[in-house]
Amino acid sequence: MRSTAGGHGNLLAISDLHIGYAENRALVEKMRPHTDDDWLLVAGDVSETVADIHWALETLSGRFRKVVWAPGNHELWTHPKDAVQLRGVARYEHLVAMCRELGVTTPEDPYPVWDGPGGPAVVAPLFLLYDYSFLPPGCATKDEGMAYAEGTGVICTDEHVLHPDPYPSREAWCRARVAETERRLAELPEDLPTVLVNHYPLDRHPTDVLRYPEFAMWCGTRLTADWHRRFRAQVMVYGHLHIPRTTHHEGVRFEEVSVGYPREWRPRPGPPDTLRHVLPMEVGTGDRGAASGIGRDRGDTR
């Protein structure tokens, strides 16, 4: 399980690159490590087409000592413009095979250990999906939650293009992924902390700032609410919300590392392609939120 990180590297992270936008693709083209020993965690939503995902991960894996990828919902879309029309598990397995050819670590591979500054720590990329358990206020079931969301017009595009085949539903696929991942995490050495990398936050609290709270249904599962404590997380890295910020929950640092869409990152004061330091932690990082547009027009509703 152990990988050597070198003595002076950084464990860096980013997500939601969405390189289907020319401006975002340009960000990846100029993205570089800080040192020759840097690792990069990519927490999903690289793009919707296999060709774009391949280009981005190949580009990054050629520059960073190690690239670790956890899939987002956009990678799992069977997009009508994609030459690869695989669905569900078959699509995910195709992406895993592609990553292995590129030397990119996936949730199906042995978890590497970061031995650089701030380590050692097991770096665990996760693929868990969601099960509609982050319900809107006043809703007790998925059907009630979906009816509420339909009434507001906030429906995730996943409902049309993220297929769970051969599972009967996305929530069934989620529960299978949670069970298998939980088993693997429980087998890790108890003397090692972890860096947990998932497209969705493992706890619901980051979704509290969504402008449209009903979108939380597509943002994770209550089944993982205690994983940051159970599995000794130093840091929980996620994306999906397009609200880049650092928060702390029950003594654990949660890092939302999204780039997001150009209309979202243009108003922010910092460079959109800034790679977030996971380990060692940047001096002076407290709780921080997006400068503007908290949860505004989350792109998956289109």
Side-chain angles (χ1 to χ4, degrees):
M1 182 174 65
R2 211 162 190 91
S3 295
T4 302
H8 304 287
N10 304 284
L11 186 60
L12 305 170
I14 203 157
S15 75
D16 297 77
L17 294 168
H18 294 291
I19 67 164
Y21 292 87
E23 300 99 316
N24 286 33
R25 190 180 185 96
L27 297 177
V28 174
E29 287 174 340
K30 65 179 184 178
M31 206 169 280
R32 295 292 189 280
H34 301 165
T35 79
D36 290 341
D37 290 323
D38 287 357
W39 290 15
L40 182 63
L41 312 178
V42 181
D45 278 9
V46 174
S47 192
E48 295 80 28
T49 69
V50 170
D52 273 355
I53 299 164
H54 184 282
W55 175 85
L57 293 179
E58 181 180 41
T59 297
L60 295 171
S61 63
R63 297 171 181 170
F64 290 81
R65 177 129 183 209
K66 182 182 287 291
V67 171
V68 177
W69 169 77
N73 54 314
H74 281 238
E75 283 101 334
L76 299 173
W77 287 3
T78 305
H79 196 283
K81 294 183 179 180
D82 193 355
V84 179
Q85 287 292 297
L86 295 170
R87 294 163 57 117
V89 173
R91 181 174 181 85
Y92 173 61
E93 291 177 344
H94 180 81
L95 293 171
V96 168
M98 181 192 76
C99 285
R100 286 172 170 167
E101 290 179 0
L102 296 173
V104 172
T105 299
T106 79
E108 306 311 306
D109 297 316
Y111 299 143
V113 174
W114 169 257
D115 277 323
V122 178
V123 176
L126 312 177
F127 169 40
L128 303 173
L129 282 168
Y130 51 82
D131 62 0
Y132 304 91
S133 56
F134 293 174
L135 290 167
C139 298
T141 66
K142 175 188 174 183
D143 287 345
E144 290 180 7
M146 290 296 291
Y148 181 94
E150 288 169 359
T152 65
V154 178
I155 297 291
C156 185
T157 301
D158 290 5
E159 295 298 315
H160 308 289
V161 292
L162 200 167
H163 306 287
D165 311 22
Y167 291 94
S169 64
R170 281 174 288 276
E171 53 264 51
W173 192 7
C174 169
R175 289 163 188 158
R177 292 297 314 181
V178 167
E180 172 60 17
T181 305
E182 186 174 29
R183 180 193 65 77
R184 288 187 63 193
L185 291 174
E187 294 174 350
L188 294 174
E190 293 186 0
D191 62 337
L192 281 178
T194 62
V195 173
L196 301 178
V197 185
N198 190 48
H199 185 58
Y200 311 97
L202 295 180
D203 180 78
R204 181 171 183 163
H205 79 271
T207 71
D208 291 344
V209 296
L210 287 172
R211 180 164 295 182
Y212 305 104
E214 56 272 33
F215 192 78
M217 286 193 296
W218 294 276
C219 295
T221 170
R222 294 172 60 185
L223 296 172
T224 61
D226 66 346
W227 281 21
H228 58 287
R229 290 183 282 106
R230 282 182 59 200
F231 301 120
R232 307 168 302 283
Q234 267 186 280
V235 191
M236 197 275 121
V237 176
Y238 67 100
H240 189 56
L241 305 185
H242 293 201
I243 308 172
R245 60 181 185 148
T246 302
T247 59
H248 293 81
H249 179 62
E250 298 180 332
V252 176
R253 180 161 52 105
F254 279 64
E255 293 280 3
E256 212 279 19
V257 298
S258 296
V259 174
Y261 304 120
R263 69 173 182 276
E264 294 169 324
W265 56 252
R266 285 192 196 106
R268 297 173 189 155
D273 57 339
T274 298
L275 301 174
R276 189 72 58 81
H277 277 79
V278 176
L279 293 176
M281 186 172 67
E282 293 176 280
V283 176
T285 56
D287 287 10
R288 56 187 176 185
S292 63
I294 296 294
R296 185 172 186 270
D297 295 336
R298 178 67 180 94
D300 295 345
T301 60
R302 286 179 293 287

